[in-house]
Amino acid sequence: MITLKQRTSEEIYSQACEVLPGGVSRNTVFRKPYPQYAGSAAGCYITDIEGACRIDLANNMASLIHGHAHPEIIEAVYEQMKKGTAYTLASEIEVNFAQFLCDRVQGFEKIRFVNSGTEAVMAMIKASRAFTGRPKIAKAEGAYHGTYDFAEVSQTANPGNWGDINKPNSVPVAFGTPASVLDDVLIFPFNDIERTLAILDREANNIACVLIDPVPHRVGLLQATIAYIEALYHWTRKNGALLVFDEVVTFRVDYAGAQQKYAVVPDLTALGKIIGGGFPVGALAGRAEVMKVLDPRESKLLFPHSGTFSANPVTMTAGYIAMQMFDAAAVMKLNKLTSKAIQQLEEVIKIADIQASITGAGSMFRIHLTAKPPTTYREAYQSKETGAVINELLDHMYYKENILMINTFACMFSTVLTQREVDMFTEAMLRAFRLLKPKIDSLNK
Ligand SMILES: Cc1ncc(COP(=O)(O)O)c(C=O)c1O
């Protein structure tokens, strides 16, 4: 038998650059001077092809709630795969999983599965337009909702183009975004009731939905206040618009998602990530009256929608098992461990005598290199200098401490992490902060 020599990541990357733009299929995995290639992963550890084993605190951008290759998920998926991986027929497992999610969350009366968070948000916006007959949406400056044209507006707004806070500019992400798209997206400052309502009032009759992520990662991983969500809810009731939540990431925050915290219920919710049990997924759930726009039995179908791999039985199997295992006790245990990690990290910040703060909710947190935690996107916005120091910290954690974090200096925990890994993480952070203290201090001069 011929055994091929395992190539190094550098060698693979040089081939990758010949066939993939920049050598990658998703910019998230890009790393200078070259990305590392995964060899294998199990539990909360990931090993690259060079053999370096790391604690994984990124969990494929928050999607692996039980870490890698959970035996129960793998076994169920394997059994399903033997029966076929995709059909031009519906499958019973999608109905059972739909029932499970609708029973889990108060506002989920109907659900439709899609293949990604981007697609879920896109379907949510289109359903809102179809239901209200209105063209415009409103969203928070800096919030990431995937890559649908309308949803991504102002996601990367910067001091050079974001404009007056009382009327933030609609800033394109991709070059060539049509001006008509920008015209149909109103931008408001997250958690700022007065300004947001004033902005919404200007287009009160044209807004199909107010799109909000209750703990938007890119805005700073700040939690929407109860007063803010209630103000948005009441504005939408008064003005005939829908309140729609992007819980693609935040569904992990509580048993019924981050929306559990609020007394008001969103009309629609976009889901993704953890509900796929490690496989590509998205879903749109919400009020039956609104979801009717998708119903092919209607004489006038307002939002025709399909998708070759939607409700794929492999994903449905993995997701159903993963979400059953992520029961109320598992959510609580995970959130408790995360709180403990944050506590330890706060200690570390004190011991290292640096200016840093932490934001987050549930099993997610983000570290900021400012003494006070930011309260707005504009405060959380990282200058080039801050970004460079954060990259150095992330590189140190990755290469020297063997810990993989999310590139915004955030962590999204999984249920398979233990106090042992938390201790290893916080001890490593102390070494990283100490090493880079002069650079961190220079940011605050
Ligand atoms: C809040 C939020 N919405 C939507 C998306 C898009 O999901 P996907 O990458 O599955 O398309 C993401 C992805 O990170 C996200 O964080």
Side-chain angles (χ1 to χ4, degrees):
M1 199 170 83
I2 302 168
T3 340
L4 291 176
K5 184 181 157 280
Q6 174 62 63
R7 292 185 296 167
T8 63
S9 289
E10 190 171 9
E11 285 164 348
I12 298 174
Y13 185 63
S14 95
Q15 182 196 358
C17 288
E18 302 289 320
V19 285
L20 302 169
V24 289
S25 298
R26 56 199 282 227
N27 291 357
T28 322
V29 300
F30 180 72
R31 190 176 272 279
K32 280 182 182 160
Y34 50 84
Q36 231 95 40
Y37 290 81
S40 64
C44 59
Y45 288 90
I46 180 159
T47 306
D48 66 31
I49 56 165
E50 276 88 4
C53 179
R54 299 187 170 86
I55 299 175
D56 189 352
L57 303 180
N59 285 300
N60 190 33
M61 298 303 278
S63 64
L64 305 170
I65 198 67
H66 302 298
H68 297 275
H70 193 286
E72 277 183 54
I73 299 176
I74 297 301
E75 199 184 317
V77 162
Y78 181 60
E79 287 307 310
Q80 173 57 46
M81 280 169 48
K82 286 195 285 189
K83 293 189 270 177
T85 59
Y87 322 115
T88 320
L89 289 180
S91 62
E92 189 178 357
I93 186 77
E94 86 193 59
V95 181
N96 293 339
F97 191 25
Q99 183 73 58
F100 175 84
L101 290 170
C102 288
D103 290 345
R104 184 167 174 138
V105 184
Q106 192 200 345
F108 293 3
E109 292 171 353
K110 291 275 197 293
I111 187 164
R112 175 159 295 199
F113 293 105
V114 291
N115 299 288
S116 68
T118 290
E119 214 189 317
V121 171
M122 176 172 74
M124 187 160 73
I125 291 172
K126 292 173 78 170
S128 303
R129 291 191 198 123
F131 182 73
T132 59
R134 295 171 171 189
K136 293 186 195 279
I137 69 158
K139 67 159 294 232
E141 186 171 75
Y144 181 67
H145 297 288
T147 55
Y148 181 41
D149 280 357
F150 298 86
E152 73 174 9
V153 173
S154 284
Q155 184 243 310
T156 51
N158 66 56
N161 60 24
W162 60 33
D164 181 355
I165 189 74
N166 294 301
K167 195 177 180 299
N169 293 331
S170 294
V171 181
V173 172
F175 277 100
T177 300
S180 57
V181 167
L182 305 177
D183 288 346
D184 278 337
V185 182
L186 275 90
I187 301 300
F188 54 76
F190 181 77
N191 259 349
D192 183 333
I193 298 179
E194 209 175 304
R195 288 196 175 95
T196 300
L197 297 190
I199 288 163
L200 297 178
D201 278 342
R202 287 188 206 123
E203 290 282 356
N205 296 326
N206 292 320
I207 297 173
C209 64
V210 177
L211 167 62
I212 197 96
D213 176 334
V215 197
H217 180 186
R218 311 286 171 133
V219 173
L221 213 63
L222 315 172
Q223 202 155 11
T225 62
I226 289 175
Y228 189 61
I229 293 298
E230 289 193 350
L232 295 181
Y233 179 79
H234 292 302
W235 188 91
T236 53
R237 294 319 90 171
K238 193 170 134 209
N239 293 284
L242 300 182
L243 178 63
V244 303
F245 274 20
D246 177 349
E247 289 233 51
V248 168
V249 172
T250 61
F251 199 55
R252 59 165 45 238
V253 164
D254 227 320
Y255 180 70
Q259 60 190 269
Q260 189 174 314
K261 178 182 158 91
Y262 308 102
V264 297
V265 178
D267 296 291
L268 296 174
T269 301
L271 302 170
K273 309 242 183 200
I274 65 166
I275 67 154
F279 289 82
V281 79
L284 168 64
R287 256 171 65 201
E289 186 195 1
V290 181
M291 294 293 285
K292 212 179 199 174
V293 299
L294 289 152
D295 186 342
R297 297 169 303 180
E298 289 294 296
S299 56
K300 189 163 179 223
L301 177 54
L302 297 177
F303 175 22
H305 171 268
S306 216
T308 305
F309 285 101
S310 291
N312 172 275
V314 177
T315 299
M316 295 293 100
T317 301
Y320 190 20
I321 303 265
M323 292 310 292
Q324 280 174 291
M325 289 196 296
F326 196 46
D327 59 12
V331 175
M332 210 196 295
K333 188 167 169 232
L334 174 61
N335 290 357
K336 213 165 140 198
L337 184 68
T338 315
S339 297
K340 182 83 197 311
I342 293 172
Q343 239 176 38
Q344 290 182 211
L345 213 43
E346 278 167 348
E347 271 304 297
V348 158
I349 289 167
K350 265 194 222 142
I351 297 167
D353 189 25
I354 52 150
Q355 302 216 355
S357 53
I358 303 166
T359 56
S363 50
M364 341 182 280
F365 62 89
R366 181 172 165 184
I367 307 166
H368 305 267
L369 295 184
T370 50
K372 273 206 206 144
T375 58
T376 66
Y377 171 66
R378 293 189 183 195
E379 275 177 28
Y381 185 82
Q382 282 169 4
S383 65
K384 249 197 182 144
E385 296 73 28
T386 305
V389 176
I390 285 178
N391 282 341
E392 271 195 63
L393 285 161
L394 288 168
D395 277 351
H396 175 86
M397 291 296 283
Y398 184 80
Y399 292 110
K400 304 282 190 239
E401 303 286 355
N402 282 338
I403 295 175
L404 174 59
M405 297 172 70
I406 289 181
N407 50 11
T408 50
F409 212 14
C411 296
M412 307 274 171
F413 277 10
S414 71
T415 59
V416 288
L417 274 174
T418 67
Q419 185 62 46
R420 179 172 172 266
E421 283 84 24
V422 167
D423 291 344
M424 286 160 78
F425 165 63
T426 51
E427 281 158 22
M429 283 298 323
L430 179 58
R431 288 189 287 273
F433 283 146
R434 280 185 165 148
L435 186 74
L436 285 152
K437 178 171 163 51
K439 289 191 180 173
I440 297 170
D441 287 349
S442 73
L443 296 173
N444 296 295
K445 279 195 182 132

